[in-house]
Amino acid sequence: AQSVAQPEDQVNVAEGNPLTVKCTYSVSGNPYLFWYVQYPNRGLQFLLKYITGDNLVKGSYGFEAEFNKSQTSFHLKKPSALVSDSALYFCAVRRGGTASKLTFGTGTRLQVTL
Amino acid sequence: ETGVTQTPRHLVMGMTNKKSLKCEQHLGHNAMYWYKQSAKKPLELMFVYSLEERVENNSVPSRFSPECPNSSHLFLHLHTLQPEDSALYLCASSQAMEETQYFGPGTRLLVL
């Protein structure tokens, strides 16, 4: 079975400060890892993914995520947060190389304040 | 988000009603998905269609009935729902089942 843990229900950051949203996963075989963002009354928007290669993945809107195999983590980061980054962030995992289903975490609400 | 559209965006229905949710993808994808999103819970995968064939049905009650007439359209027919079925229903599509999924805006369903 595969699973995703997002240990923080909410992360609060001041605008201009760096942000980190944590994600750890469990999956057999190679992981394919994803981050999605959901704004109020909207669907999920794809941010970035790790399939293979460089452990640091860059995505949309200045976000990046670092894959750490030994810690089974895929934390989402941004060097300088914006108020407009306030949203719900979901981490997801799938077993690589297969058509297995995508398993999502429960989401982390990011609140960026002035 | 315009790549995957869903209608209606909001729906209120009684427990004896019959209604349908519609999803359309304009991305040329071959796989489509229905998810249920409830507060404080992970997204629940309901159904998966690949090349118009249902390939996954995650023990969803029979009051939910999917239909995929072609690779661009996906429906979710609703019948005699329960109040606990109130949720945001999200449609997604991908080029193939192992590829990145792209989501529609969702239908917010309230069952009274």
Side-chain angles (χ1 to χ4, degrees), chain A residues 44-103:
Chain A
L44 275 66
Q45 292 181 34
F46 169 72
L47 273 181
L48 52 80
K49 67 180 178 183
Y50 171 83
I51 302 297
T52 187
D54 194 348
N55 289 345
L56 185 64
V57 179
K58 294 187 184 296
S60 306
Y61 313 120
F63 284 93
E64 57 189 29
E66 186 167 12
F67 170 62
N68 187 317
K69 187 173 183 178
S70 62
Q71 297 185 6
T72 61
S73 67
F74 190 57
H75 301 329
L76 183 69
K77 300 182 180 184
K78 187 174 182 181
S80 179
L82 298 172
V83 172
S84 57
D85 292 330
S86 299
L88 190 56
Y89 290 80
F90 291 94
C91 181
V93 69
R94 184 203 296 130
R95 186 158 61 99
T98 71
S100 65
K101 72 174 186 178
L102 197 56
T103 298

Side-chain angles (χ1 to χ4, degrees), chain B residues 12-52:
Chain B
V12 180
M13 59 187 289
M15 288 190 286
T16 59
N17 291 158
K18 288 184 181 180
K19 296 287 184 182
S20 296
L21 310 185
K22 179 183 176 181
C23 174
E24 184 173 0
Q25 58 96 0
H26 311 273
L27 301 169
H29 289 169
N30 292 313
M32 297 187 77
Y33 312 77
W34 279 117
Y35 287 87
K36 177 183 178 182
Q37 184 180 23
S38 305
K40 305 292 185 184
K41 294 175 68 175
L43 267 71
E44 300 172 49
L45 178 63
M46 300 175 73
F47 301 104
V48 182
Y49 277 83
S50 177
L51 298 171
E52 303 155 37

Side-chain angles (χ1 to χ4, degrees), chain B residues 4-110:
Chain B
V4 182
T5 57
Q6 290 186 243
T7 54
R9 293 293 307 275
H10 301 272
L11 179 62
V12 180
M13 59 187 289
M15 288 190 286
T16 59
N17 291 158
K18 288 184 181 180
K19 296 287 184 182
S20 296
L21 310 185
K22 179 183 176 181
C23 174
E24 184 173 0
Q25 58 96 0
H26 311 273
L27 301 169
H29 289 169
N30 292 313
M32 297 187 77
Y33 312 77
W34 279 117
Y35 287 87
K36 177 183 178 182
Q37 184 180 23
S38 305
K40 305 292 185 184
K41 294 175 68 175
L43 267 71
E44 300 172 49
L45 178 63
M46 300 175 73
F47 301 104
V48 182
Y49 277 83
S50 177
L51 298 171
E52 303 155 37
E53 285 192 35
R54 192 190 311 179
V55 296
E56 187 152 348
N57 176 346
N58 278 341
S59 303
V60 179
S62 59
R63 57 186 183 268
F64 295 91
S65 174
E67 178 190 1
C68 187
N70 56 61
S71 60
S72 298
H73 294 86
L74 185 65
F75 295 89
L76 188 63
H77 304 300
L78 315 173
H79 177 52
T80 59
L81 294 191
Q82 304 298 310
E84 60 264 29
D85 297 323
S86 299
L88 181 68
Y89 288 85
L90 292 166
C91 174
S93 71
S94 62
Q95 180 60 47
M97 286 180 62
E98 60 270 26
E99 299 293 332
T100 301
Q101 293 178 26
Y102 294 89
F103 286 79
T107 295
R108 175 72 61 187
L109 173 66
L110 178 61

